[in-house]
Amino acid sequence: MIFAANFKMHHTRESTINYLNRLEDIMKEAEYPFKVILFPPSTALQSSSDWVSIGVQNAYPSSEGAFTGEIGLTQLEEFGVDTILIGHSERRQILGESQELISKKFSFFSQKGFEIVYCIGEPLEIRQAGEEAVAEYLWEQFDGIDLDYERLIVAYEPIWAIGTGRSATPEDIASTHNQLRKRISRPLLYGGSVNPLNVKDICSISNVDGVLVGSASLEVEKFHSMMSAVAPALV
Ligand code: PGA
């Protein structure tokens, strides 16, 4: 089971270090059977440890160069970071990332051997149009993406469920993950308003291999409570 925390544009370098120290203590003590990945803002990147992998929320598909405002492979190597989030709906929608750019990022960072948490998700009107429309929409977001890449993790995050407090229903999650499983053998995460109250049910759905958590990951004790809610079900 994978627990990934996406800080988005929250936390500073100092607060990330405090969070990480506490999280590592928790992981050492509790010996949870989870892989934990933390995506802090780029200004707060740290090196991974045996307990927590650190990933970057975004990077440019180049080692270095004239790309104002971006960071690339050279900057990530300084921290030993080799995990990246690609395709998040906030980057697709707010930052206007095209599928072409997203697939370039995927090619570049997969060639460099990165672990890639690749996000897909449909807007509300597509969900309302039914399961077939959802499937079609989601598969288009895999254009140019190698589904057999060995360090791929896919995160299904319906856009209407992100940051809204309105998670997808277990039925929606189950049917979408079952569809994805037909073509993807890599881990499948669910994301979108996962919180301490719904995480256990979500993690018990078949073909859900973990969660990608935004708001509910921002406080370390809350994130911990999510892991401790799921752990007993795994023993
Ligand atoms: P949320 O965000 O948990 O706040 O809904 C999830 C995400 O965007 O990864």
Side-chain angles (χ1 to χ4, degrees):
M1 193 66 50
I2 299 169
F3 271 79
N6 176 10
F7 279 2
K8 308 189 179 184
M9 207 173 72
H10 297 287
H11 277 293
T12 60
R13 182 173 170 76
E14 190 185 358
S15 67
T16 300
I17 291 170
N18 293 337
Y19 185 110
L20 199 53
N21 287 340
R22 174 72 185 123
L23 185 58
E24 287 182 353
D25 285 348
I26 289 167
M27 297 305 292
K28 280 181 220 169
E29 200 181 313
E31 296 184 347
Y32 288 129
F34 303 133
K35 175 182 170 68
V36 175
I37 310 173
L38 180 66
F39 293 98
S42 304
T43 52
L45 283 177
Q46 306 291 319
S47 298
S48 297
S49 67
D50 288 345
W51 298 277
V52 182
S53 297
I54 301 292
V56 68
Q57 294 174 20
N58 174 52
Y60 197 78
S62 184
S63 288
E64 52 186 70
F67 303 105
T68 300
E70 295 289 317
I71 62 169
L73 185 65
T74 305
Q75 287 74 34
L76 297 176
E77 280 174 344
E78 189 175 23
F79 297 93
V81 167
D82 70 349
T83 298
I84 185 168
L85 198 64
I86 295 180
H88 192 281
S89 63
E90 285 153 14
R91 296 212 58 90
R92 290 179 191 265
Q93 295 206 310
I94 304 170
L95 283 306
E97 280 192 15
S98 64
Q99 189 60 30
E100 194 190 349
L101 175 60
I102 288 168
S103 65
K104 270 190 194 148
K105 289 185 182 188
F106 188 94
S107 302
F108 180 83
F109 287 103
S110 59
Q111 273 162 27
K112 301 295 176 194
F114 271 55
E115 177 168 66
I116 297 177
V117 178
Y118 185 73
C119 303
I120 53 164
E122 81 286 357
L124 188 57
E125 64 272 19
I126 297 290
R127 171 55 67 183
Q128 283 166 343
E131 268 178 36
E132 247 174 61
V134 172
E136 197 180 311
Y137 189 92
L138 296 181
W139 290 120
E140 278 174 14
Q141 294 185 322
F142 286 117
D143 263 7
I145 305 303
D146 174 8
L147 296 180
D148 295 322
Y149 177 55
E150 57 183 14
R151 298 198 76 200
L152 168 68
I153 297 170
V154 170
Y156 168 56
E157 298 202 302
I159 297 168
W160 45 274
I162 294 179
T164 56
R166 176 184 166 196
S167 161
T169 62
E171 294 73 30
D172 287 344
I173 299 172
S175 72
T176 307
H177 279 235
N178 289 341
Q179 282 296 328
L180 294 170
R181 179 56 81 222
K182 288 183 188 162
R183 290 204 229 164
I184 302 167
S185 59
R186 305 297 308 147
L188 300 175
L189 312 185
Y190 168 78
S193 296
V194 181
N195 63 48
L197 296 178
N198 62 19
V199 67
K200 190 169 169 233
D201 288 346
I202 290 172
C203 287
S204 68
I205 298 170
S206 71
N207 292 321
V208 171
D209 303 305
V211 284
L212 177 55
V213 188
S215 344
S217 72
L218 295 179
E219 285 170 34
V220 69
E221 298 307 334
K222 199 166 183 181
F223 192 50
H224 178 203
S225 75
M226 298 174 72
M227 289 191 266
S228 62
V230 174
L234 300 179
V235 226

